[in-house]
Amino acid sequence: MERGKKIGSTGVGGGALVSGSGKRAFGTVLAALILCLIGIMAFSIRLFSVIKYESVIHEFDPYFNYRVTKYLTKAGIYEFWNWFDDRTWYPLGRVIGGTVYPGLTITAGTMWWILNAFNIPLSVETVCVFTAPIFSSFAAWATYLLTSEVKGRGAGLTAAALLAMVPSYISRSVAGSYDNEAVAIFALIFTFYLYVKTLNTGSLFYATLNALAYFYMVCSWGGYTFIINLIPMHVLLCIVTGRYSSRLYIAYAPLVILGTLLAALVPVVGFNAVMTSEHFASFLVFVIIHVAALAHYIKRVLSPKQYSTAVSFVITFGMYEPAALIAILAAMVAASPTKGWSGRSLSLLDPTYASKYIPIIASVSEHQPPTWPSYFMDINVLAFLVPAGIIACFLPLSDSSSFVVLYLVTSVYFSGVMVRLMLVLAPAACVLSGIALSEAFAVLTRSIKYQDLSEASLLAAVDSTATLNSTNENEASVKEVKDKAPKRGKKKTVEKEVEKKRKRLLGLPMEASAVGILLLIIMGSFYVVHCVWAAAEAYSAPSIVLTSQTPDGGLHVFDDFREAYAWLNHNTGEDDKVASWWDYGYQTTAMANRTVIVDNNTWNNTHIATVGTAMSSPERQAWEIFQSLDVKYVFVIFGGLVGYPSDDINKFLWMVRIGGGVFPHIREPDYLRDGHYRIDSQATPTMLNCLMYKLSYYRFAEADGKGYDRVRRTEIGKKYFKLNYFEEVFTTQHWMVRIYKLKPPRNLVSAVKSKKRFL
Amino acid sequence: MDDARALVTSLRSAYTATPTKLKLIDLYVAYAVITAIVQTLFMAVVGSFPFNAFLSGVLSCVGTAVLAVCLRMQVNKANKEFKDLPPERAFADFVLCNLVLHLVIMNFLG
């Protein structure tokens, strides 16, 4: 049952010149060409960072994915699956095979392997850097498929063009941002497309493909729980609003069974697929859809009176077992302290949860709620078009358009909780804006096209408009008009119908339509200009290399991070352990190739709290903690000399909070003066004596004579002090990374001290 | 009580009127569901280790039941939505989906 591809609604080809099938062929070729161009645009708009800086992997998490991909390409899939990494979380190690989402690394590894099989010798780093732009082209094409299933080809092309450029998606998929979202957003949109396609056609083939696409999504990102909760919500909505059909059953039931099995196959998820609350909604709706199917079957075979007696029978007698089952289930869920949800999901449902119970989740900057301007920055013009799109989805309401509206509403809620989830909102916003823009263009161009016409051509116009709209009711009413005319043979009735159709077609006068089209095009150009600016200026920074403008207009490059990692790589022993705050763990293992204590995976809060406590303690206690962890080198990030604001002193409050959460002798008020963290002369003695202060500001007063911290904008409190347990081994060019070595424990006790003891 | 008896008889008479093809599929579905229930009772007796074996066993039974129900919906002549879908195509989809399901099951059995 083909809902079919419709011709683009902007009047392709002069009607008199080209026949119907010719029009369709021309439309297909044009659409294919446009899709190619959209793919190229999606790829090239993400290349700003490669042009402005170099082809380098950005930020922190991508370095871990890069290291895993390198291991996969070197050692093969079986070694990768069973890999136990002892270079991180010393002395605990990390089971990589069981705790990583393998989709991204396996995708990039496969691409590298295929290219090498064709003797195209691209390095693993190049493949990793360019994975995200390639998959954003695929995501744009998937958006085209999804939107054309909902509303037709014109809407599909518009939505694809919007998604190729939307800044929110660009921010997580520039060339070099080798992170899970790069492939996960493509998998998300593609899974939704296959679900809507199955819903529209009722074909089991697409249901199988849907389950396989969902499997790819589970492999790629932890956000797959969004899919497995959104689709049951939509099925429930359809059942409750009376839209149950066998296509709905075919779209949902195989997905639940196959999807659960496939999700359980991925080691990261494992048995969580059947035991955590994130998946309970799918099972609950699975039961509900079977009840609804049975009810429909019985309704079909019984007479209405018997059906009502059956319903009353079931309600009086049959409610006890389900009630008992629900009571048991509720008791089991209530028994667990988090009601079966994981910490991350709970922090999404209750935005205040993380700040109360899990400081680590609350400390990540991506997990903060977004500000209002960030909506305008990230989805720009789409913020205005989305409400229009919602209205367009209701005219008429079909299963697929209700799904898209539900997707938008839920993603708007989640994007309000965490700024990182603006990314999930972006495809929904693009789909609905594409629908809105396409419908607006359709109305305006139709008004211009059918300005002054005779009756017969009006009826012809009504026919062609009816094939352009994707509604059955319009066709039925058109057929009605045609049937009525010869049957009744009364001119008056036909005239009345024609007048009604004329009123419906010619909504607007010609000048208003022309101005409207012009304004829409201008709005589109504002969007394009903003997206290109956002891609070039705001989202292309690799954050491992910084640049700034010199007063004479040149470019000054701060490459301190790589300088420090290269120093560590060349000047320390192979098995030396390096301690730092967890932000830099992935980069240290990937670039410096040294064992670290904690890294960005943050799976062990106590271990991180140990490092945080060490950074907050006085020198001797910190040395003892690090000595117990076999640490040889400690490094801190310091931005005071150049004004780099994301340094460890600014992150210090989290070290205190996380450390204090586990070790009660670290009390946050000890470090605060009037409720603020200070490092100037007003700072508390605990603050001035802690390791972080000492390691950051050791010999800092010698650098500029006054010890003026450019980030905190004040002179430091304690300027001249010695380090007794650490020695400075390396400071980078702009003092951004400062590496210290632990002094070995003393061999001899000093003679003075021993004399005092014996006397 | 009379109502209940009349209900049951009308249900039974309506069901006997369905074509044999569909009754065969219904029998297959019932068999799959009964096998799943037997497996669950066995698990309740001997314990759930190894859990993946239990899960794959039960889900394969429930999975084939669900797919057979989908096939029944598509092949049923009384269902107007699928009147231009040839039954051979429906059966081919059914076989494909079963193949994928059992491939996954064999992988997951451990």
Side-chain angles (χ1 to χ4, degrees):
Chain A
M1 196 153 117
E2 268 287 298
R3 252 339 126 91
K5 304 282 187 250
K6 309 283 184 258
I7 305 174
S9 54
T10 51
V12 168
L17 294 172
V18 189
S19 69
S21 65
K23 242 191 206 174
R24 212 166 290 136
F26 185 55
T28 312
V29 169
L30 196 64
L33 185 65
I34 294 176
L35 277 177
C36 273
L37 289 176
I38 288 176
I40 294 175
M41 173 174 71
F43 183 84
S44 20
I45 202 175
R46 287 161 168 81
L47 295 183
F48 278 103
S49 60
V50 174
I51 297 172
K52 286 171 76 171
Y53 301 88
E54 58 181 284
S55 164
V56 71
I57 302 209
H58 296 188
E59 302 232 335
F60 304 113
D61 281 0
Y63 273 99
F64 171 68
N65 296 323
Y66 170 55
R67 179 167 164 253
V68 174
T69 315
K70 264 199 304 197
Y71 186 85
L72 170 67
T73 52
K74 235 190 314 213
I77 183 82
Y78 288 107
E79 285 298 322
F80 164 73
W81 225 228
N82 297 319
W83 186 20
F84 177 81
D85 187 19
D86 56 351
R87 307 280 290 180
T88 173
W89 293 94
Y90 185 83
L92 305 166
R94 176 183 174 182
V95 181
I96 300 264
T99 56
V100 75
Y101 281 99
L104 174 71
T105 51
I106 292 186
T107 307
T110 312
M111 286 202 295
W112 176 87
W113 182 80
I114 291 177
L115 284 172
N116 267 8
F118 280 116
N119 279 327
I120 304 175
L122 286 181
S123 72
V124 177
E125 180 171 18
T126 315
V127 173
C128 290
V129 164
F130 289 101
T131 299
I134 292 177
F135 273 84
S136 53
S137 302
F138 296 161
W141 294 340
T143 312
Y144 163 73
L145 291 171
L146 172 63
T147 319
S148 50
E149 271 307 307
V150 177
K151 266 296 184 181
R153 194 183 272 181
L157 290 172
T158 322
L162 291 174
L163 185 88
M165 293 192 289
V166 65
S168 154
Y169 185 32
I170 290 182
S171 70
R172 305 290 305 196
S173 66
V174 286
S177 176
Y178 181 56
D179 207 354
N180 288 339
E181 287 92 351
V183 297
I185 296 297
F186 161 67
L188 180 84
I189 305 176
F190 197 56
T191 309
F192 284 154
Y193 157 64
L194 287 171
Y195 172 68
V196 170
K197 183 96 182 172
T198 316
L199 200 55
N200 281 343
T201 61
S203 153
L204 202 55
F205 172 64
Y206 281 110
T208 319
L209 288 181
N210 187 18
L212 291 174
Y214 172 67
F215 174 54
Y216 184 54
M217 178 70 188
V218 174
C219 285
S220 309
W221 197 30
Y224 76 90
T225 50
F226 180 62
I227 299 187
I228 203 62
N229 281 305
L230 179 67
I231 293 187
M233 245 197 276
H234 177 246
V235 170
L236 198 58
L237 178 74
C238 285
I239 294 178
V240 161
T241 53
R243 286 176 158 271
Y244 170 80
S245 63
S246 38
R247 287 173 291 118
L248 188 72
Y249 183 87
I250 295 179
Y252 183 64
L255 173 69
V256 170
I257 301 292
L258 263 178
T260 309
L261 272 170
L262 286 166
L265 267 184
V266 181
V268 168
V269 179
F271 296 143
N272 285 343
V274 290
M275 305 231 280
T276 52
S277 292
E278 279 104 352
H279 296 87
F280 277 170
S282 56
F283 300 137
L284 188 66
V285 177
F286 186 66
V287 170
I288 291 179
I289 201 175
H290 278 94
V291 169
L294 194 65
H296 270 254
Y297 172 71
I298 294 183
K299 193 177 201 175
R300 224 173 15 169
V301 295
L302 287 182
S303 70
K305 200 174 57 111
Q306 285 178 322
Y307 179 65
S308 50
T309 40
V311 166
S312 52
F313 188 71
V314 164
I315 291 182
T316 42
F317 291 110
M319 281 318 227
Y320 296 117
E321 297 90 19
L325 269 175
I326 289 176
I328 294 177
L329 196 64
M332 270 175 23
V333 164
S336 93
T338 57
K339 313 277 179 290
W341 295 92
S342 76
R344 289 198 177 202
S345 311
L346 266 178
S347 63
L348 281 180
L349 293 174
D350 172 16
T352 58
Y353 180 81
S355 47
K356 280 187 277 186
Y357 298 107
I358 318 178
I360 283 197
I361 294 184
S363 72
V364 181
S365 66
E366 305 176 307
H367 292 181
Q368 307 304 319
T371 53
W372 281 112
S374 64
Y375 277 93
F376 191 71
M377 170 76 170
D378 273 351
I379 54 174
N380 203 243
V381 153
L382 308 186
F384 313 133
L385 290 175
V386 157
I390 296 180
I391 295 179
C393 276
F394 277 91
L395 312 166
L397 186 69
S398 66
D399 292 337
S400 36
S401 55
S402 71
F403 175 71
V404 174
V405 171
L406 190 66
Y407 171 30
L408 178 92
V409 169
T410 45
S411 56
V412 163
Y413 172 73
F414 286 122
S415 73
V417 175
M418 248 195 216
V419 71
R420 185 181 180 186
L421 295 180
M422 291 278 299
L423 181 64
V424 177
L425 172 62
C430 290
V431 168
L432 282 170
S433 312
I435 292 175
L437 268 179
S438 162
E439 294 292 303
F441 269 114
V443 167
L444 291 173
T445 50
R446 207 162 55 224
S447 306
I448 295 185
K449 194 170 174 185
Y450 299 123
Q451 267 305 311
D452 48 357
L453 290 174
S454 62
E455 232 171 68
S457 41
L458 251 183
L459 273 178
V462 165
D463 288 349
S464 66
T465 322
T467 55
L468 283 175
N469 288 336
S470 54
T471 62
N472 277 330
E473 292 116 42
N474 217 350
E475 286 175 6
S477 64
V478 164
K479 285 209 184 74
E480 249 180 72
V481 171
K482 280 189 141 174
D483 290 333
K484 273 188 197 159
K487 271 191 194 160
R488 300 219 186 144
K490 286 184 193 167
K491 227 185 167 198
K492 249 190 173 177
T493 331
V494 176
E495 267 181 16
K496 260 201 208 145
E497 299 287 344
V498 164
E499 255 319 297
K500 251 200 293 182
K501 295 298 174 202
R502 184 201 287 263
K503 279 213 182 92
R504 203 199 293 189
L505 275 185
L506 310 178
L508 302 162
M510 164 113 114
E511 300 78 17
S513 324
V515 168
I517 291 185
L518 193 63
L519 287 178
L520 281 180
I521 293 178
I522 292 178
M523 180 173 74
S525 57
F526 275 138
Y527 175 71
V528 171
V529 165
H530 172 84
C531 292
V532 173
W533 170 85
E537 299 299 320
Y539 291 136
S540 287
S543 85
I544 194 164
V545 176
L546 307 163
T547 56
S548 73
Q549 295 273 342
T550 57
D552 53 354
L555 201 66
H556 188 76
V557 177
F558 297 79
D559 210 359
D560 286 45
F561 293 105
R562 292 197 289 180
E563 186 186 343
Y565 297 131
W567 187 93
L568 275 175
N569 197 6
H570 289 130
N571 294 296
T572 59
E574 184 78 34
D575 285 324
D576 286 342
K577 324 287 186 269
V578 178
S580 67
W581 191 233
W582 59 260
D583 279 341
Y584 315 105
Y586 281 158
Q587 284 183 343
T588 314
T589 39
M591 280 196 273
N593 198 20
R594 291 288 171 269
T595 310
V596 292
I597 306 295
V598 287
D599 69 12
N600 307 57
N601 191 30
T602 65
W603 67 269
N604 191 329
N605 194 37
T606 313
H607 220 48
I608 295 181
T610 313
V611 173
T613 307
M615 294 295 191
S616 324
S617 310
E619 216 186 320
R620 180 183 171 81
Q621 281 81 342
W623 181 89
E624 279 172 3
I625 294 178
F626 282 138
Q627 191 72 357
S628 73
L629 286 171
D630 289 347
V631 170
K632 206 96 173 276
Y633 294 91
V634 179
F635 72 84
V636 295
I637 307 294
F638 173 61
L641 187 70
V642 291
Y644 174 62
S646 305
D647 64 353
D648 279 355
I649 291 279
N650 271 355
K651 293 180 189 169
F652 184 60
L653 74 100
W654 293 110
M655 299 186 199
V656 171
R657 281 187 194 163
I658 296 175
V662 178
F663 299 98
H665 68 266
I666 305 284
R667 286 177 297 269
E668 198 175 351
D670 290 346
Y671 298 84
L672 297 174
R673 173 80 68 194
D674 303 327
H676 294 291
Y677 284 90
R678 313 270 297 252
I679 46 96
D680 52 9
S681 50
Q682 292 295 312
T684 58
T686 332
M687 182 75 196
L688 290 175
N689 278 323
C690 75
L691 185 72
M692 178 53 67
Y693 181 92
K694 286 198 167 169
L695 293 187
S696 295
Y697 294 116
Y698 179 60
R699 295 197 311 121
F700 182 51
E702 295 171 26
D704 63 345
K706 290 189 284 113
Y708 182 74
D709 184 337
R710 285 218 176 131
V711 179
R712 267 62 60 176
R713 295 184 211 241
T714 163
E715 287 189 14
I716 59 177
K718 193 151 73 157
K719 295 191 191 173
Y720 301 100
F721 53 89
K722 280 212 185 128
L723 289 175
N724 298 318
Y725 293 89
F726 295 84
E727 58 173 315
E728 182 186 7
V729 284
F730 186 66
T731 296
T732 55
Q733 181 187 359
H734 303 97
W735 285 54
M736 281 172 67
V737 185
R738 309 199 62 187
I739 307 182
Y740 295 83
K741 187 172 176 178
L742 261 71
K743 284 192 182 162
R746 296 193 211 173
N747 276 329
L748 299 171
V749 180
S750 77
V752 174
K753 277 208 180 126
S754 61
K755 222 192 238 174
K756 278 194 179 152
R757 208 162 287 157
F758 282 125
L759 284 179
Chain B
M1 239 30 255
D2 285 337
D3 285 339
R5 215 173 297 149
L7 210 58
V8 171
T9 30
S10 59
L11 270 176
R12 198 189 287 174
S13 58
Y15 187 67
T16 46
T18 54
T20 325
K21 229 180 359 178
L22 299 182
K23 279 201 251 193
L24 269 178
I25 299 181
D26 289 340
L27 198 62
Y28 178 66
V29 170
Y31 162 69
V33 172
I34 289 177
T35 314
I37 294 179
V38 166
Q39 285 187 3
T40 319
L41 292 174
F42 180 75
M43 188 271 296
V45 168
V46 300
S48 70
F49 180 80
F51 192 58
N52 56 331
F54 163 67
L55 212 57
S56 52
V58 166
L59 284 180
S60 74
C61 291
V62 177
T64 52
V66 162
L67 292 177
V69 170
C70 293
L71 176 69
R72 185 192 198 276
M73 283 184 198
Q74 290 183 328
V75 162
N76 194 359
K77 293 213 182 27
N79 201 342
K80 300 226 185 358
E81 285 173 4
F82 293 108
K83 62 177 159 54
D84 42 354
L85 180 74
E88 289 82 12
R89 167 76 198 263
F91 187 69
D93 284 344
F94 170 72
V95 167
L96 174 71
C97 209
N98 262 319
L99 270 176
V100 171
L101 175 71
H102 287 99
L103 188 66
V104 174
I105 293 288
M106 285 198 296
N107 225 331
F108 194 52
L109 263 177

